[in-house]
Amino acid sequence: MHDADRTPSRRAFLDATGGALAAGLLAGCTSDSTIRPDRPVPSAAATLAPVAATGRHQAGVTLPRSAQRNLLAVVADLGTTVAPGPLLAELGETVRALTAGSDPRLLGLPPGDLTVTVGLGPRLVRTAGAALPGAADLPRFSRERIASGARGGDLLLQICADDPLLPPVAAAALLDRAGDRVRERWRQSGRRGTDVPVAKGRTAPRNVLGFIDGIVGPHTAAERERDLWLAGPASVAGGTLAVLRRMEIDLTRFAALSVAEQEAVFGRHRDSGVPLSGGTVASGPELGAKTPDGRYLVPVDAHVRRANPTVVGVGHMLRRSYSTDEPAPGLLFISFQNDLRTFTATLARMDASDALLPFTTTTASASFLILPGFDRQHPLGSRLFD
């Protein structure tokens, strides 16, 4: 059944409209006396270029510009008797309708740069093949305080948009399409900080700790083919692997450090992002550089040293962090890579000695196979579950 032929459920309608109505009430408090009821203010989303939902890769992993400012990650479980193939195909149809602006459950909002990225958890991946990328569960690490309902999950819906109203509305539409075949496990919203130029044509945002985040990563097409996209087998080629970690951060204790102490934790200057060993914001740290008295310029437990991919012996992650307010101040960390060991080996080395980790507590954790791209002829998930 086509999306437009379905009647939105009462739950989905209430979930979606709640945020929109609240925003409308807040908009009514503006002090700009020139705004008239008969002259609606155009949405910023109406001026943003749409992002194609179809193609070799799913949208929302890479974009031709900076990632959107707002994200909602919804993690759900499938019923044990639910066939993944038909559900994924229907979700793909809904994604196309939402991003095209033709789904009435958008409630009149222009889709702007809305993207939806769908991933499968290890349990579902194993039903398609125990040796497939993404079939292995994410191991447990130190500094975790994770309730059973916030670990893992079968289905990821990563919804991004510059307009903060769009992610919850799109999530309501997708969950309405899925119906009682899925049960929501946990969700997390987040926002990106102000973008800072880090290289020609490339920016990165500041995180909730004040530092520029996501400087290092696979940025060129060649780097992404090497470290980001799965080359095979054919059923997953063009997909990638995602890791999500929600972390509470002790902002009070970190803010009590001097700027020099904060910079020693990260191994970069807070204002510019330049490594403590010198260079530019985009240049890698010189880990062997020392002061005249023999001290490393980048401390031995600095985050940029402990997480350095060359030292760890793994590829680069495409990393994104989103600041969160609920359930506590912190970050939602997301990494994309074509080998789960890229993440697990890095975090294992950080666990041993990383000056940043004592300020964090992980409260949710999951990994997913991000499915390859799709189109009308090849529905979402069809290569895996045909």
Side-chain angles (χ1 to χ4, degrees):
M1 185 180 296
H2 191 274
D3 292 348
D5 298 328
R6 291 176 57 105
T7 302
S9 70
R10 180 176 179 271
R11 184 196 68 180
F13 179 79
L14 291 174
D15 287 348
T17 54
L21 288 173
L25 291 172
L26 290 173
C29 298
T30 178
S31 60
D32 187 346
S33 60
T34 63
I35 297 177
R36 291 170 45 186
D38 59 339
R39 293 184 183 178
V41 178
S43 167
T47 65
L48 294 170
V51 180
T54 56
R56 180 189 171 206
H57 313 295
Q58 284 194 72
V61 179
T62 62
L63 289 173
R65 58 173 184 79
S66 299
Q68 304 100 311
R69 293 188 181 278
N70 300 286
L71 171 141
L72 174 61
V74 178
V75 178
D77 288 334
L78 271 64
T80 55
T81 61
V82 174
L87 172 62
L88 292 171
E90 291 179 36
L91 290 177
E93 290 176 6
T94 305
V95 170
R96 285 195 293 106
L98 289 169
T99 55
S102 60
D103 193 312
R105 288 168 293 196
L106 276 177
L107 305 176
L109 295 173
D113 59 357
L114 173 69
T115 60
V116 179
T117 313
V118 180
L120 297 183
R123 185 185 75 83
L124 287 187
V125 176
R126 288 193 291 268
T127 66
L132 286 171
D137 290 308
L138 196 65
R140 301 190 180 204
F141 298 93
S142 67
R143 306 182 192 281
E144 293 184 341
R145 191 181 68 243
I146 302 175
S148 59
R151 189 183 294 278
D154 289 338
L155 181 71
L156 168 68
L157 302 174
Q158 177 194 273
I159 307 167
C160 301
D162 258 18
D163 185 343
L165 296 180
L166 282 168
V169 171
L174 289 159
L175 292 173
D176 180 56
R177 185 68 185 262
D180 59 7
R181 290 172 292 180
V182 306
R183 176 179 58 84
E184 185 170 329
R185 191 175 182 86
W186 60 277
R187 68 167 59 196
Q188 183 62 53
S189 59
R191 61 189 183 278
R192 283 166 64 86
T194 303
D195 282 328
V196 177
V198 297
K200 184 177 181 181
R202 183 158 59 86
T203 62
R206 292 194 182 276
N207 61 29
V208 72
L209 295 170
F211 283 77
I212 302 173
D213 207 339
I215 297 169
V216 177
H219 299 300
T220 68
E223 290 170 342
R224 289 171 176 172
E225 290 298 324
R226 181 192 68 204
D227 293 330
L228 176 61
W229 304 121
L230 291 165
S235 59
V236 299
T240 186
L241 301 176
V243 173
L244 279 71
R245 303 270 288 178
R246 183 180 66 201
M247 293 176 284
E248 294 181 4
I249 295 182
D250 192 338
L251 292 175
T252 301
R253 191 158 60 91
F254 187 82
L257 300 177
S258 68
V259 174
E261 289 171 325
Q262 293 175 9
E263 292 176 340
V265 167
F266 275 91
R268 290 182 180 272
H269 291 287
R270 191 179 67 181
D271 60 345
S272 65
V274 171
L276 297 183
S277 55
T280 67
V281 61
S283 61
E286 293 290 335
L287 298 181
K290 295 182 178 181
T291 63
D293 60 356
R295 291 179 295 106
Y296 283 111
L297 290 173
V298 177
V300 294
D301 60 351
H303 179 62
V304 298
R305 181 185 291 275
R306 302 303 301 179
N308 186 280
T310 302
V311 175
V312 178
V314 295
H316 286 79
M317 309 175 203
L318 181 61
R319 297 177 295 115
R320 296 206 179 105
S321 293
Y322 296 82
S323 298
T324 63
D325 293 324
E326 297 291 341
L331 290 173
L332 178 64
F333 168 89
I334 302 177
S335 70
F336 299 97
Q337 53 274 300
N338 58 15
D339 186 343
L340 192 61
R341 183 178 173 274
T342 299
F343 174 82
T344 58
T346 300
L347 191 51
R349 189 169 190 276
M350 291 168 58
D351 256 351
S353 174
D354 187 307
L356 180 59
L357 287 190
F359 297 93
T360 70
T361 302
T362 298
T363 60
S365 179
S367 63
F368 299 92
L369 165 66
I370 301 300
L371 294 165
F374 65 102
D375 55 33
R376 290 179 181 273
Q377 289 71 42
H378 306 89
L380 179 67
S382 59
R383 282 192 273 165
L384 204 60
F385 291 106
D386 266 355

